[in-house]
Every structure is written in structure tokens, then in C-alpha cells.
Amino acid sequence: MPTAEPLDDIDIRLLLALREEPRATVVALADRVGLSRNTVQARLGKLEPKLGSFERRIDPATLGYPLTAFITVQVTQQHLDRLADALADIPEVVEVFGLTGDSDLLVRVVATDADQLYRIAGRVLDTPGVERTSFSLAMRTLVDFRVTPLLADKLRPDAQ
């Protein structure tokens, strides 16, 4: 598993400021965190590759995919790379995680309706290397994706 270079207090303060005001200008961010514009610009440039995909901010429901389901998959290990490629070719597959335990993969899929979910589940099951699947429909999101509590936890009290 890749390890990222840890963020320092300045990076964390910038990210928290961006969380509160995502469209803030560099000058506004500099004023907010008490740094020069050039320092903030340089820090943001270094942070950008670490921030991940902009896609995470797009809710599939706004694209017409209101249903989310999770498929746990048991696989034949020697087919794992090909299986990952095959799952990436299914547009409705939005995330795939490798797991430990009884299942090998956790696949998050989205769909327009129950019929499409059924077809996606069948397509996953028909993928070479898949031994067995288990399917769960997400009824609602109880806690949205978040990292703000982690950022706040890493920020030293004297840096706030």
C-alpha cells in the first residue's frame, strides 16, 4: 500500500480553509492562514497531486444514478489483475477495494434502477476469475465521505 508524505500544520490549515471556502482565492487563503500569497501558491501546487480526483465531488445521483450497491467478490487469485481491468470497463463500477477476510474485493456500483443493478451484478458474476458474489443495496448514506475530523485531529493545538 503506498504511503503519502504526511501533511504538516500549514498544509492542514490550508485544507481546512479550502473545506470551508472551496472557491477562495490564493490571496484570501493567505490572509486566512496568515501566510504570504507566494507561500500559499507554492503549498497549493505541492498539495494538488495529493488531493485525489475531482470526481469524488460528483454525486452519481446528479448524473441519473440514484441507486448505490456494494458487491463483495471472491476471486481466483491468479485472475486478479485481469479481473480489476474488466471491472474498470464497467461504467457503473465507481470503486473497487481489495479486501482481507472472506471476500477479496468490495465493488461499489451505481445504477439508474433495479433492473440495471441486476444486469450489473450479472456482468460482474460473469467476469472470468469471479467465483462468487454477494450483493447489498445501500438504502441511504448515514455518514458522507469526510476527512475533516482527521485533519483537525492532526493539527497541533498551537497551530490552530
Side-chain angles (χ1 to χ4, degrees), residues 3-14:
T3 57
E5 184 180 320
L7 301 176
D8 65 15
D9 287 339
I10 293 172
D11 294 333
I12 292 170
R13 288 175 28 221
L14 281 171

Side-chain angles (χ1 to χ4, degrees), residues 89-110:
D89 286 339
I90 301 171
E92 298 86 1
V93 170
V94 294
E95 289 182 294
V96 179
F97 297 95
L99 303 176
T100 62
D102 294 335
S103 295
D104 300 303
L105 301 176
L106 177 65
V107 181
R108 180 177 169 216
V109 299
V110 295

